[in-house]
Amino acid sequence: FSPCLLQMAQRRSGSRGGDSGVKAGTKTVYTINCATPAADGIFDDAVLGEFEEYLNTHIKVNGKVNQLGEKIKVQRAENDIKITTYIQFPKRYLKYLTKRFLKKKTLRDWLRVVATNKASYELRYFNIHDNEEEDAEAAE
């Protein structure tokens, strides 16, 4: 093969020279921290249990839901949800599912999902008070 043909084949197959996220077979632990709404009583044990169950039933593996097996484990630890994966798994998908759960519980208007580091998300409140103060200052 000439170098030009090899590059064209790589482009068609989607493989580029770079690293594409988590490699298969490595263990990755993602965390969703729900401490702030849990401290205020919005996320009690029942809602955290529902969130854990929601993730268990809605995470897709190879295009199928409810097929986690030993590849992905969802566990609750106090006010955190820990997702342990042994396959390639995008963190962004967890944010998507968390936002869907918040919308289902009609909490999406008050809570947002924020990445705190490379392997974790945190549920925080929108800064509504800051916006109200700015509106009051603008009205004066």
Side-chain angles (χ1 to χ4, degrees):
F1 285 104
S2 69
C4 184
L5 287 175
L6 184 59
Q7 288 176 351
M8 286 174 43
Q10 285 178 342
R11 281 191 211 128
R12 285 192 183 133
S13 68
S15 67
R16 312 236 167 139
D19 186 22
S20 61
V22 179
K23 290 187 170 47
T26 59
K27 177 182 173 183
T28 307
V29 179
Y30 297 107
T31 306
I32 301 173
N33 184 353
C34 306
T36 305
D40 292 338
I42 294 175
F43 260 54
D44 56 353
D45 286 338
V47 176
L48 275 172
E50 287 179 41
F51 184 39
E52 179 185 9
E53 184 63 29
Y54 182 84
L55 290 175
N56 273 320
T57 56
H58 285 81
I59 291 177
K60 286 186 179 182
V61 178
N62 295 330
K64 298 178 184 174
V65 295
N66 240 355
Q67 301 290 326
L68 299 184
E70 297 295 318
K71 298 174 185 172
I72 297 177
K73 297 184 184 202
V74 180
Q75 301 166 340
R76 181 172 49 151
E78 292 187 23
N79 296 327
D80 292 345
I81 303 287
K82 296 197 182 291
I83 298 97
T84 307
T85 65
Y86 296 96
I87 59 173
Q88 187 174 2
F89 189 80
K91 178 184 160 193
R92 179 89 176 119
Y93 185 51
L94 291 176
K95 183 174 184 175
Y96 166 74
L97 288 175
T98 304
K99 288 166 79 172
R100 277 187 59 190
F101 178 77
L102 291 174
K103 185 72 170 176
K104 178 182 170 188
K105 293 292 178 181
T106 64
L107 296 171
R108 185 77 181 101
D109 294 334
W110 295 282
L111 294 172
R112 63 187 181 134
V113 184
V114 179
T116 53
N117 64 32
K118 200 169 188 174
S120 68
Y121 283 114
E122 180 179 353
L123 296 181
R124 292 186 185 168
Y125 291 105
F126 283 110
N127 294 330
I128 297 171
H129 298 294
D130 294 340
N131 293 340
E132 289 175 359
E133 291 172 7
E134 290 174 6
D135 292 341
E137 289 174 6
E140 292 176 356

